[in-house]
Amino acid sequence: MATETRPASTAGGGRRNRQDEVLLAAIEIFHRKGYAAASIQDVADSVGVLKGSLYHYIDSKEDLLARIFEGSDEQSFAMMGAIENRGLTAVERLEAFSRDWSLWHLNNLERASLYFNEWRHLTGERLEQVLQKRHDYEAAVARMINDVKAEGQADPDLDARYAAFYILSAINVLSSWYRRDGPDPPEHIAQVYADMIVGMVCNSRGRKKPRKASRKKKTAA
Amino acid sequence: MATETRPASTAGGGRRNRQDEVLLAAIEIFHRKGYAAASIQDVADSVGVLKGSLYHYIDSKEDLLARIFEGSDEQSFAMMGAIENRGLTAVERLEAFSRDWSLWHLNNLERASLYFNEWRHLTGERLEQVLQKRHDYEAAVARMINDVKAEGQADPDLDARYAAFYILSAINVLSSWYRRDGPDPPEHIAQVYADMIVGMVCNSRGRKKPRKASRKKKTAA
Amino acid sequence: MATETRPASTAGGGRRNRQDEVLLAAIEIFHRKGYAAASIQDVADSVGVLKGSLYHYIDSKEDLLARIFEGSDEQSFAMMGAIENRGLTAVERLEAFSRDWSLWHLNNLERASLYFNEWRHLTGERLEQVLQKRHDYEAAVARMINDVKAEGQADPDLDARYAAFYILSAINVLSSWYRRDGPDPPEHIAQVYADMIVGMVCNSRGRKKPRKASRKKKTAA
Amino acid sequence: MATETRPASTAGGGRRNRQDEVLLAAIEIFHRKGYAAASIQDVADSVGVLKGSLYHYIDSKEDLLARIFEGSDEQSFAMMGAIENRGLTAVERLEAFSRDWSLWHLNNLERASLYFNEWRHLTGERLEQVLQKRHDYEAAVARMINDVKAEGQADPDLDARYAAFYILSAINVLSSWYRRDGPDPPEHIAQVYADMIVGMVCNSRGRKKPRKASRKKKTAA
DNA sequence: AATGAATGAGTATTCATTCAT
DNA sequence: AATGAATGAATACTCATTCAT
């Protein structure tokens, strides 16, 4: 019901509408307290509206969570699509993905944290959908790694599936380690992670220039 | 009160006492539903006892969680201590740690998952203690990596702290990817992870001995 | 939360709002069963609302008790203030206080009973506040008695503090003896009490050997 | 059941048996927390025995309270009886009673406090019995006062019943004001109270305007 | 006498959700 | 759109009491 009447966010500039306010407030609160421990009251307080009024914007608490996930899905698949359409080599794709995906996590800490910690509170079709997307994502990364192997840049013995798990795991957890007030900007950390990931995948081959992808590479190029 | 009268678990063998039953049931349920969403009623049902009766064994829901954490702490520090006392080289230590720590996660899926996902529901002193231990653990791993650098086996430019985060993150999340009914036994996956970790740390040096990552190969080389 | 949104009682006349209904019901029930033995369910039943709904009006059971005390404080200090500002002699003040305070007890049996029997169930700052007010009250009465002595109307040997205790005690307990269906109206009893109190304080004036039975009397005898 | 098997306390000297220990512990705890708020666990802890074991000594929580009251009844009626059998004049009887009854309260603070604050938690026959005794006591004191009037020592207009209420009230509440660590010994305070009481009852003798207690009388005097 | 596990009913409190205004 | 009162089911926790050992 609320779903259909929800007006599109005034995309352009300043005015952020209530729909978005509610979503943003929920992201922050579900992240901070955990979905189960957070209450609709908390969200209402944060938006500055009475608990009952929130139901003009959402259908249920779970619906609110699901809506957050929809947004995250859009963003993450847009990112993945952009990389695949840039005509890069396999190694470049892997590096770009590692960097951009890390960066997305660092720039969307709360959203990213929810995306990977609270999905079990979805039910029914929505849960299945999330699990499906997760699986697709893993498969896409495994494919990238296999592409790197096909290019001869990675150990043929490397298990692409486990490597994909490993990489996605490490990035997913970024949001739980990273402090916004730390010394390094997100871009730096994203690059470091990308270096480590590419280094791990491409290591150990008697290669000439074994994909250094380090923060100094630009100077050499 | 329950604290003092809590009988030690009958270490020997067969007979598992109620204390342990309660802990094990709680681990399973807190893992499956999440601590906040799980109810004491769930645990009581699982143990086959009335809700109120559970309070013979615990002081509170949070106390139950804390007790689970105590057990996990004991196990994890025992493991870490054993590695440090075996007189290994830095690289061997890193590999042993990566393998054993991965293995512990795989063999204690639920416990490990709780350990890394539900600590924020502890409060006060117990929360501080957990954060302290987490910090100590990170520092110990960073030290291992610095030792590897000191042995000349890793890129001197490698940021040991970020690498430690990366490694611990990846392992911590093992429990959320691993399926007990998957094709590979825990030991295999643990070794693969150890190889990837050591490979990542030791990669990219113009070395002839590029860490092929089987536990015995070093002796041959 | 309830604290801020609590609407003022519709002072005018007929319409009594729910806030007040809740308070009145609680006064009656806490008095009849005792605070500790009374349940929120009892209050809810009396108001004709579900247990959970009560929490729109109160923050907690203790908050409900505290709110009752606030009202009693207001009334009692208003009464005391009125007496002090009427420009009476010391004896007149003592009599007026004794009468009015007795009357307040008789006209607010349940409220008065709570005020003097259940304060120990308050905690923290609220408890301290009540104890402070109690102390202030005792001091004010002792001052009145000393004023009577200064006017030469009371035995100079009278211990004002004990007399104040004695008087307040007797009045406080009025609510536990008085039956609303007794033969005498509250005004009569209040006057009788005032007479006894003034008589006690002012007695023995102009008597030669007034009070035997004092710890010094033996020496005289 | 426990009632019959309860062994008499070893009256003579040192050894205090468990029965008595339980009663004494209960008096202290019921006084400190209030009967309703106190738990059997509290009493058991104080005695140093497990909760379940307490039921060797008592039949129920209410039974424990009732047993405390029985003891108090015995003591108070023994005291009253002793006074009536000493062949004193009415005024002497009134003074002796006031002193001894005050003293009993001061020397049995907790017991006395229970006796007057927690009787409403008794039920059935036991409640009726307590109310009956209370009534008898009031009547006995009123009789004393009437005797004083008959001796010509008190204002004939004095309402003996209200005076009795007043006196008993003041004494009953002694236990809530008195601090064991205060400056004056119980004997002193008991005497002061006796003085005040006798003074109050016997005052105003020989006065033409016998304190008729209209608020304007002072101006005439 | 004493234990300690277990019960079952009860307690205060929370909360997602509804709905008349 | 928003309110705020109300619901009803659930939640963590307590406690007097019982009973086999």
Side-chain angles (χ1 to χ4, degrees):
Chain A
M1 200 153 302
T3 311
E4 306 147 53
T5 59
R6 214 180 311 148
S9 72
T10 55
R15 290 253 318 293
R16 159 146 282 141
N17 66 19
R18 272 280 159 90
Q19 286 287 348
D20 289 350
E21 273 184 61
V22 169
L23 279 181
L24 292 177
I27 288 172
E28 198 275 328
I29 284 160
F30 287 174
H31 166 68
R32 181 152 41 88
K33 299 194 158 191
Y35 172 79
S39 78
I40 283 292
Q41 179 73 258
D42 294 328
V43 178
D45 287 351
S46 169
V47 175
V49 103
L50 287 186
K51 190 167 48 162
S53 309
L54 224 54
Y55 284 81
H56 283 284
Y57 304 100
I58 63 171
D59 292 335
S60 68
K61 194 185 176 190
E62 190 188 322
D63 166 66
L64 182 49
L65 185 62
R67 211 115 93 206
I68 293 169
F69 273 66
E70 282 170 25
S72 303
D73 278 339
E74 278 173 30
Q75 297 181 21
S76 68
F77 276 81
M79 193 215 69
M80 180 68 99
I83 285 168
E84 288 174 339
N85 293 329
R86 259 199 279 160
L88 303 172
T89 68
V91 175
E92 285 165 343
R93 276 211 308 282
L94 178 62
E95 193 203 347
F97 167 77
S98 301
R99 194 183 332 105
D100 291 356
W101 190 225
S102 296
L103 198 53
W104 184 79
H105 276 74
L106 294 166
N107 285 334
N108 299 275
L109 283 188
E110 294 84 2
R111 189 184 273 280
S113 173
L114 286 182
Y115 202 39
F116 290 97
N117 291 318
E118 306 288 1
W119 54 265
R120 78 184 80 199
H121 294 111
L122 294 174
T123 59
E125 204 184 339
R126 294 203 264 223
L127 177 58
E128 282 169 38
Q129 196 182 328
V130 163
L131 292 175
Q132 182 58 48
K133 296 211 168 179
R134 191 133 321 186
H135 184 263
D136 292 350
Y137 229 69
E138 291 161 24
V141 174
R143 226 178 305 120
M144 275 187 202
I145 293 170
N146 277 324
D147 291 348
V148 174
K149 283 162 71 173
E151 282 184 354
Q153 300 274 45
D155 184 343
D157 287 344
L158 183 68
D159 185 317
R161 233 176 119 248
Y162 286 135
F165 282 175
Y166 180 95
I167 291 165
L168 287 170
S169 301
I171 295 177
N172 289 349
V173 184
L174 258 179
S175 60
S176 74
W177 300 105
Y178 177 63
R179 302 292 98 175
R180 268 199 255 265
D181 52 7
D184 297 319
E187 288 72 18
H188 174 73
I189 297 174
Q191 187 61 53
V192 170
Y193 259 61
D195 288 352
M196 289 194 291
I197 288 166
V198 174
M200 184 184 90
V201 171
C202 298
N203 106 80
S204 79
R205 306 290 299 142
R207 291 173 270 116
K208 53 277 117 182
K209 228 305 134 186
R211 281 281 337 136
K212 266 316 296 284
S214 88
R215 36 200 180 295
K216 294 167 202 125
K217 76 174 177 303
K218 253 50 197 164
T219 58
Chain B
M1 198 139 309
T3 312
E4 309 149 47
T5 57
R6 214 181 307 147
S9 70
T10 55
R15 286 254 317 294
R16 160 145 281 144
N17 64 21
R18 270 282 157 93
Q19 286 287 346
D20 288 350
E21 273 183 62
V22 169
L23 279 179
L24 292 177
I27 288 172
E28 198 275 326
I29 284 160
F30 287 173
H31 166 69
R32 181 153 41 86
K33 299 194 157 193
Y35 172 79
S39 80
I40 284 292
Q41 182 71 260
D42 294 328
V43 179
D45 289 349
S46 169
V47 176
V49 99
L50 286 185
K51 188 170 42 165
S53 307
L54 222 55
Y55 285 82
H56 271 283
Y57 304 101
I58 63 169
D59 292 335
S60 67
K61 192 186 175 189
E62 191 189 320
D63 167 67
L64 182 49
L65 184 63
R67 213 115 97 204
I68 293 170
F69 273 64
E70 280 170 27
S72 303
D73 277 338
E74 277 173 32
Q75 296 181 21
S76 69
F77 275 80
M79 194 216 69
M80 179 69 98
I83 286 168
E84 288 174 338
N85 293 329
R86 257 197 280 160
L88 303 173
T89 67
V91 174
E92 286 166 343
R93 276 209 308 282
L94 178 63
E95 194 204 345
F97 166 77
S98 301
R99 195 187 326 108
D100 291 358
W101 190 227
S102 295
L103 198 52
W104 184 78
H105 276 74
L106 295 166
N107 285 335
N108 299 275
L109 282 188
E110 294 84 2
R111 192 184 270 280
S113 173
L114 286 181
Y115 202 39
F116 291 96
N117 291 319
E118 306 290 0
W119 55 266
R120 75 184 80 200
H121 292 110
L122 294 174
T123 59
E125 208 183 337
R126 297 203 261 223
L127 177 58
E128 283 170 36
Q129 199 182 327
V130 163
L131 292 175
Q132 181 61 47
K133 297 215 165 175
R134 191 130 322 185
H135 184 264
D136 292 351
Y137 230 69
E138 290 161 25
V141 174
R143 225 178 305 123
M144 274 187 200
I145 292 172
N146 277 323
D147 291 348
V148 173
K149 284 162 71 175
E151 280 184 353
Q153 301 274 45
D155 183 345
D157 286 343
L158 184 67
D159 185 317
R161 238 177 114 245
Y162 284 136
F165 282 177
Y166 180 97
I167 292 167
L168 287 169
S169 301
I171 296 178
N172 289 348
V173 185
L174 259 179
S175 58
S176 74
W177 300 104
Y178 178 63
R179 303 291 101 176
R180 270 200 256 264
D181 51 8
D184 297 318
E187 288 73 16
H188 174 74
I189 298 174
Q191 187 60 51
V192 170
Y193 259 60
D195 288 352
M196 289 194 290
I197 287 166
V198 175
M200 184 184 88
V201 171
C202 299
N203 105 83
S204 78
R205 306 291 300 143
R207 291 174 273 114
K208 59 268 119 188
K209 293 239 274 73
R211 285 266 344 129
K212 257 329 282 297
S214 98
R215 23 194 185 297
K216 312 232 173 67
K217 80 182 166 311
K218 242 60 208 171
T219 58
Chain C
M1 200 139 310
T3 312
E4 309 150 46
T5 57
R6 213 181 309 146
S9 68
T10 54
R15 287 251 319 292
R16 160 146 280 142
N17 64 21
R18 272 279 157 93
Q19 285 288 347
D20 288 350
E21 273 183 61
V22 169
L23 279 179
L24 293 177
I27 289 172
E28 198 275 327
I29 285 160
F30 287 174
H31 166 69
R32 180 152 42 85
K33 299 194 157 191
Y35 173 79
S39 81
I40 283 293
Q41 182 71 261
D42 294 329
V43 179
D45 288 350
S46 168
V47 175
V49 102
L50 286 185
K51 188 170 44 163
S53 308
L54 223 56
Y55 285 82
H56 271 283
Y57 304 100
I58 62 170
D59 292 335
S60 67
K61 193 184 175 191
E62 191 189 321
D63 167 68
L64 182 49
L65 184 62
R67 212 114 97 204
I68 294 170
F69 274 63
E70 279 169 28
S72 303
D73 277 338
E74 276 172 33
Q75 297 181 19
S76 68
F77 276 79
M79 193 216 70
M80 179 68 99
I83 286 167
E84 288 174 338
N85 293 329
R86 258 198 279 161
L88 304 173
T89 67
V91 175
E92 285 166 344
R93 276 209 308 281
L94 178 63
E95 193 204 345
F97 166 77
S98 302
R99 194 186 329 106
D100 290 356
W101 190 226
S102 297
L103 197 53
W104 184 80
H105 276 73
L106 294 167
N107 285 335
N108 299 275
L109 281 189
E110 295 83 4
R111 190 184 271 280
S113 173
L114 286 181
Y115 202 39
F116 290 97
N117 290 319
E118 306 289 1
W119 53 267
R120 74 184 80 201
H121 293 110
L122 294 174
T123 60
E125 207 183 337
R126 296 203 263 224
L127 177 58
E128 282 170 37
Q129 198 181 327
V130 163
L131 293 175
Q132 180 61 48
K133 297 213 168 177
R134 191 130 323 186
H135 184 263
D136 292 350
Y137 229 70
E138 290 161 24
V141 175
R143 223 177 308 121
M144 275 186 200
I145 294 171
N146 276 324
D147 291 346
V148 173
K149 283 162 72 174
E151 281 183 353
Q153 302 272 46
D155 183 343
D157 287 343
L158 184 68
D159 185 318
R161 238 178 114 246
Y162 285 135
F165 282 176
Y166 179 94
I167 291 166
L168 287 170
S169 301
I171 295 178
N172 290 348
V173 185
L174 258 178
S175 59
S176 73
W177 300 104
Y178 177 64
R179 302 292 101 176
R180 268 199 257 265
D181 53 7
D184 297 318
E187 287 73 17
H188 174 74
I189 298 175
Q191 188 60 52
V192 170
Y193 260 60
D195 287 352
M196 289 194 291
I197 288 166
V198 175
M200 183 187 89
V201 170
C202 300
N203 105 79
S204 77
R205 293 193 308 109
R207 284 184 272 115
K208 53 271 120 187
K209 223 315 129 174
R211 283 277 340 124
K212 53 262 295 320
S214 100
R215 48 199 177 291
K216 291 166 202 127
K217 74 177 180 288
K218 254 52 197 166
T219 60
Chain D
M1 201 151 301
T3 311
E4 305 147 51
T5 58
R6 213 181 311 149
S9 71
T10 55
R15 287 256 316 296
R16 157 147 283 144
N17 66 20
R18 272 282 159 90
Q19 286 289 346
D20 289 350
E21 273 183 61
V22 169
L23 279 180
L24 291 177
I27 288 172
E28 199 275 327
I29 284 160
F30 287 174
H31 166 68
R32 181 152 42 84
K33 299 194 158 193
Y35 172 79
S39 79
I40 284 292
Q41 180 71 260
D42 293 329
V43 179
D45 287 349
S46 170
V47 174
V49 102
L50 287 187
K51 190 167 49 161
S53 308
L54 223 56
Y55 284 81
H56 282 285
Y57 305 100
I58 63 171
D59 292 336
S60 68
K61 193 185 176 190
E62 191 188 322
D63 167 67
L64 182 50
L65 184 62
R67 211 115 94 206
I68 294 169
F69 273 66
E70 282 169 24
S72 304
D73 278 339
E74 278 172 31
Q75 296 181 21
S76 68
F77 276 81
M79 194 216 68
M80 181 67 100
I83 286 167
E84 288 174 339
N85 294 330
R86 259 197 280 160
L88 303 172
T89 67
V91 174
E92 284 167 342
R93 274 210 310 281
L94 178 63
E95 193 204 345
F97 166 77
S98 301
R99 196 184 329 105
D100 290 357
W101 191 226
S102 295
L103 198 53
W104 183 80
H105 276 75
L106 294 167
N107 286 334
N108 299 273
L109 282 189
E110 294 84 3
R111 190 184 271 281
S113 173
L114 286 182
Y115 201 39
F116 290 97
N117 291 318
E118 305 289 0
W119 54 265
R120 76 184 81 200
H121 292 112
L122 293 173
T123 59
E125 207 184 337
R126 295 204 264 225
L127 177 59
E128 282 169 37
Q129 198 182 328
V130 163
L131 292 175
Q132 181 59 47
K133 297 213 167 174
R134 191 131 322 187
H135 185 262
D136 291 351
Y137 229 70
E138 290 160 23
V141 174
R143 226 177 305 118
M144 275 187 200
I145 293 170
N146 277 325
D147 291 348
V148 174
K149 283 163 71 174
E151 281 183 354
Q153 301 274 48
D155 182 346
D157 287 343
L158 184 68
D159 186 316
R161 233 177 117 248
Y162 286 135
F165 281 175
Y166 182 98
I167 291 166
L168 286 169
S169 301
I171 294 177
N172 289 348
V173 184
L174 259 180
S175 59
S176 73
W177 300 104
Y178 177 63
R179 303 291 98 176
R180 269 200 256 263
D181 53 7
D184 298 319
E187 289 73 17
H188 173 72
I189 298 174
Q191 187 61 51
V192 170
Y193 259 60
D195 289 353
M196 289 193 293
I197 289 167
V198 175
M200 186 183 89
V201 171
C202 299
N203 104 83
S204 79
R205 295 196 303 109
R207 286 186 269 115
K208 56 267 116 185
K209 288 254 270 58
R211 288 243 6 111
K212 256 330 283 294
S214 97
R215 7 192 191 305
K216 312 233 176 65
K217 78 188 171 298
K218 243 50 206 178
T219 58

